Amino acid sequence: MRKRQHPHSEGPPQAPDQQRPRTCCLCWCGCCRCPWNEDLMEGRERQTCTKMESIEAAEEQLEPTLEEILSWSRSFERMMYSPSGRNLFRQFLRSEYSEENLLFWLACEDLKHEKNTKAVDEKARIIYEDYVSILSPKEVSLDSRVREGINRNLLEPNCDMYNEAQLQIYTLMHRDSFPRFLNSAFYKSLVESARGSSAEI
């Protein structure tokens, strides 16, 4: 008997020989909690949480100096490539409910440095499901042209396939979130705290 096709079962393009995790007939991305993929999703969540917790723990140990904190106001790029800067900016974005933009940028950075072909394929699809799919609660804002390019590249994923999307989100954070960060009470308190610490030395 032929299974009925769910109206929302359409997913990202798959290569003919690409083996996907077994999912139920209602969910192409495997995000639902049916018995077919519950173990798979729980395993992925544990792995993701462990990775993010280790990144946060490493970055929270770094205490930025007053000079470093002030330098961020002159260069968004300098802040983004500073572990402590990223961590503090991420805290601010979380307060604005836009943390996914930075997480997407970090995931793309990680993908660009991946050399293993199978890992590239897996990471590219996870990034799609987490940040590009319209079904994801962490979907980032990308224009239709960039999305179409990503969908084409998913047929043969590569480590640079999200470059244009990453630049678009980087520009969004630079022009939109970063000025608010510098004018926020959060950033000003960082400056004052660093000044107090330096004065005690």
Side-chain angles (χ1 to χ4, degrees):
M1 181 177 178
R2 188 175 181 181
K3 293 182 179 180
R4 294 178 60 188
Q5 194 74 10
H6 190 271
H8 294 97
S9 61
E10 182 180 357
Q14 298 285 332
D17 59 346
Q18 180 67 37
Q19 296 296 317
R20 293 187 300 174
R22 192 181 186 191
T23 63
C24 69
C25 61
L26 300 180
C27 186
W28 65 265
C29 67
C31 62
C32 66
R33 285 292 182 184
C34 68
W36 293 46
N37 55 30
E38 185 171 4
D39 291 340
L40 172 66
M41 289 304 299
E42 288 181 352
R44 177 182 294 176
E45 288 171 2
R46 285 196 298 271
Q47 182 179 11
T48 302
C49 290
T50 302
K51 181 177 180 181
M52 292 312 301
E53 286 170 359
S54 64
I55 291 174
E56 288 179 348
E59 295 190 345
E60 285 174 358
Q61 292 173 2
L62 300 174
E63 291 289 341
T65 64
L66 174 61
E67 182 181 359
E68 185 179 7
I69 293 173
L70 292 175
S71 73
W72 299 339
S73 66
R74 299 187 294 271
S75 173
F76 178 65
E77 182 178 13
R78 181 174 295 180
M79 184 194 69
M80 287 292 285
Y81 284 96
S82 161
S84 54
R86 286 196 307 271
N87 182 61
L88 293 167
F89 187 51
R90 180 181 174 185
Q91 291 180 41
F92 172 76
L93 292 178
R94 188 181 298 147
S95 72
E96 290 201 331
Y97 305 99
S98 58
E99 181 186 15
E100 66 276 2
N101 289 330
L102 181 56
L103 294 178
F104 171 72
W105 185 87
L106 288 169
C108 293
E109 283 293 287
D110 179 61
L111 178 64
K112 286 195 294 188
H113 293 93
E114 182 58 65
K115 303 300 182 184
N116 182 280
T117 303
K118 289 185 178 180
V120 167
D121 183 88
E122 180 182 5
K123 289 181 178 182
R125 295 185 185 283
I126 289 174
I127 290 173
Y128 184 95
E129 292 172 8
D130 284 352
Y131 303 110
V132 181
S133 170
I134 60 174
L135 301 178
S136 173
K138 297 184 292 183
E139 179 193 5
V140 297
S141 179
L142 299 171
D143 63 43
S144 58
R145 180 183 60 81
V146 171
R147 286 178 177 276
E148 289 171 4
I150 291 172
N151 287 334
R152 288 193 300 270
N153 284 325
L154 276 174
L155 294 171
E156 295 183 10
N158 63 82
C159 59
D160 296 317
M161 63 176 288
Y162 288 106
N163 283 3
E164 193 170 3
Q166 185 187 22
L167 177 60
Q168 195 169 97
I169 295 303
Y170 181 92
T171 302
L172 175 65
M173 290 190 293
H174 188 188
R175 293 179 179 176
D176 188 41
S177 302
F178 185 54
R180 291 200 302 273
F181 170 71
L182 296 179
N183 290 320
S184 69
F186 180 76
Y187 177 75
K188 291 174 182 176
S189 68
L190 291 173
V191 174
E192 292 304 315
S193 177
R195 278 180 176 154
S197 298
S198 61
E200 294 174 359
I201 299 175

